[in-house]
Amino acid sequence: MSTPLAIVGAGGHACDMLDLVDAINAHGHHYEVVGLFADWVPEPERLVERGISCAGSLADLARQTHLAVVIGIAWPAGREKLATAGVGGERQFATLIHPSATVPKATVLGEGTVIAAGARISGNVRIGRHVYIGQNVVVGHDSRIGSFTSVLPGAIVSGDVRLGEGVLVASAAFVKERVNVGDASTLGAGGVLLRDLSAGTTAVGVPARPLTTRGGDPFRR
């Protein structure tokens, strides 16, 4: 029995979702991708090359409540906006895990979460709603990842880390063990975060240092 699935978004990340669904289908489950739904298609030729079409706008999707949905946008704020208001009404959100990812059975996963190829999740990890765990990401034991957070390919989140809601950990970044990252913060690509980071802060570099903050000391330790 197949599950009709709509992918929200029409950019590169949404196209990555197509590959993920293909891999899942090859291992027994079957999602039938109805199409991509978006109000704007940044590169229409990308869809033509993939043999997929934009099936309609977000308003069109809102009227098709029978479809399961996965959000194909990596940016945390966009994921939250779409999940809470952009797709309309009561909705089943698909939780997708690539067959090559390592996810212990006891892992707590919120709805709409996506775990990409090669990701490694250690024991006693709790992951919120609509989280994106990218290719080859490592998440250490006892870590907590808040809803709408994105951890991009190659990043390492060590053990006992707390990532708040709407956090972006960019590609190849590293978060030291027992570090807490506040809501809506960003760790730039390749950054090495050694200290707690306040909410709403962007940090870059090795070691990572803040660029912007909403006020107060961006490092809390």
Side-chain angles (χ1 to χ4, degrees):
M1 181 176 178
S2 64
T3 301
L5 179 68
I7 298 174
V8 176
H13 191 73
C15 289
D16 285 344
M17 295 300 100
L18 294 172
D19 290 335
L20 177 55
V21 170
D22 285 345
I24 291 172
N25 287 347
H27 282 73
H29 197 98
H30 187 68
Y31 287 102
E32 178 189 357
V33 177
V34 175
L36 307 183
F37 288 80
D39 289 337
W40 176 60
V41 180
E43 298 175 87
E45 66 277 6
R46 188 198 301 268
L47 303 187
V48 173
E49 292 170 359
R50 297 299 298 266
I52 194 75
S53 64
C54 185
S57 66
L58 296 181
D60 295 325
L61 176 58
R63 291 189 288 269
Q64 300 187 53
T65 56
H66 66 288
L67 298 177
V69 170
V70 65
I71 297 177
I73 294 174
W75 191 251
R79 294 171 69 82
E80 181 174 8
K81 182 178 179 180
L82 289 168
T84 56
V87 297
E90 295 294 325
R91 178 70 68 176
Q92 175 191 352
F93 288 99
T95 299
L96 304 181
I97 302 174
H98 195 283
S100 69
T102 300
V103 182
K105 289 183 178 180
T107 304
V108 176
L109 295 176
E111 67 172 2
T113 284
V114 174
I115 300 180
R120 299 289 180 260
I121 311 297
S122 296
N124 195 31
V125 170
R126 299 177 67 91
I127 298 175
R129 300 170 56 243
H130 299 287
V131 170
Y132 175 64
I133 303 293
Q135 294 93 332
N136 300 316
V137 163
V138 174
V139 179
H141 63 85
D142 299 289
S143 289
R144 303 290 183 262
I145 300 178
S147 297
F148 311 111
T149 285
S150 291
V151 185
L152 300 187
I156 297 176
V157 176
S158 300
D160 286 301
V161 165
R162 300 292 184 269
L163 301 182
E165 294 194 357
V167 170
L168 176 66
V169 178
S171 298
F174 173 84
V175 183
K176 181 179 176 290
E177 66 272 8
R178 299 183 182 277
V179 163
N180 298 317
V181 179
D183 295 346
S185 291
T186 296
L187 175 59
V192 175
L193 187 62
L194 303 178
R195 304 170 65 185
D196 288 2
L197 198 61
S198 294
T201 302
T202 295
V204 299
V206 181
R209 298 186 181 280
L211 289 179
T212 60
T213 180
R214 293 174 182 168
D217 183 2
F219 286 131
R220 295 185 308 220
R221 179 183 296 170

